Amino acid sequence: MSSTEGSSRAADKSPRQQVDRLLVGLRWRRLEEPLGFIKVLQWLFAIFAFGSCGSYSGETGATVRCNNEAKDVSSIIVLFGYPFRLNRVQYEMPLCDDDSTSKTMHLMGDFSAPAEFFVTLGIFSFFYTMAALVLYLRFHNLYTENKRFPLVDFCVTVSFTFFWLVAAAAWGKGLTDIKGATRPSSLTAAMSVCHGEEAVCSAGATPSMGLANISVLFGFINFFLWAGNCWFVFKETPWHGKGQDQGQGPSQESAAEQGAVEKQ
């Protein structure tokens, strides 16, 4: 019995010991340095960016009052959201005839390309910064001794900086077009029943785009974070050391020449 209890306790402790060793091996003080601290900010704001854009949903609408004998009143509510393929969003337009029939209509525009690119970039940024943090905190010796890791990190950082600028600008432009396409006045303008005398149309409430606006702001914040981190990652590369050596070389040679002249 004692042997079985001892083996069970050892089995219970082994996962705990592995977790403890992993946590002890992490050098949390690296987070106080700019390279580690900025990576944490990149990780957080990547979540904010793709979370705020990917979870957005809104609604627009209008009211149609028919001038027929029944005086029908129809409230049209249209729901839309990520990935903003508005041309697939349907709603029913009343025809205000004696049969009270309706016609299926669609919103205008497909803005899925900038939205999906923005969210995909945020997800890739999230996973890359998480992997870079693990490498920087747990295996920092590999990061400093193997010069390939800083070079790869620098190239990836520059690439993400460019992509975040493109994604934030494209998503900002796409969001402006989405606001125009989902405006209630655009909805009433697209319905043919509102242009005749058989009905009176009134626009509904304007969609709330606060979360979508914040996502664009998070996109530009990510761009500035990645652009600022380029310098700190560049300092870890061999290119930075070569620049300093080249800058110090001529000064040392000139000092030696001056000393030789003074001796003569």
Side-chain angles (χ1 to χ4, degrees), residues 56-61 77-80 182 205-208:
Y56 176 81
S57 62
E59 66 177 35
T60 184
I77 298 176
V78 185
L79 302 177
F80 64 95
T182 58
T206 303
S208 176

Side-chain angles (χ1 to χ4, degrees), residues 187-214:
L187 188 65
T188 57
M191 292 189 294
S192 58
V193 71
C194 298
H195 300 290
E197 297 180 356
E198 64 269 16
V200 176
C201 301
S202 57
T206 303
S208 176
M209 309 295 288
L211 188 61
N213 293 330
I214 292 176

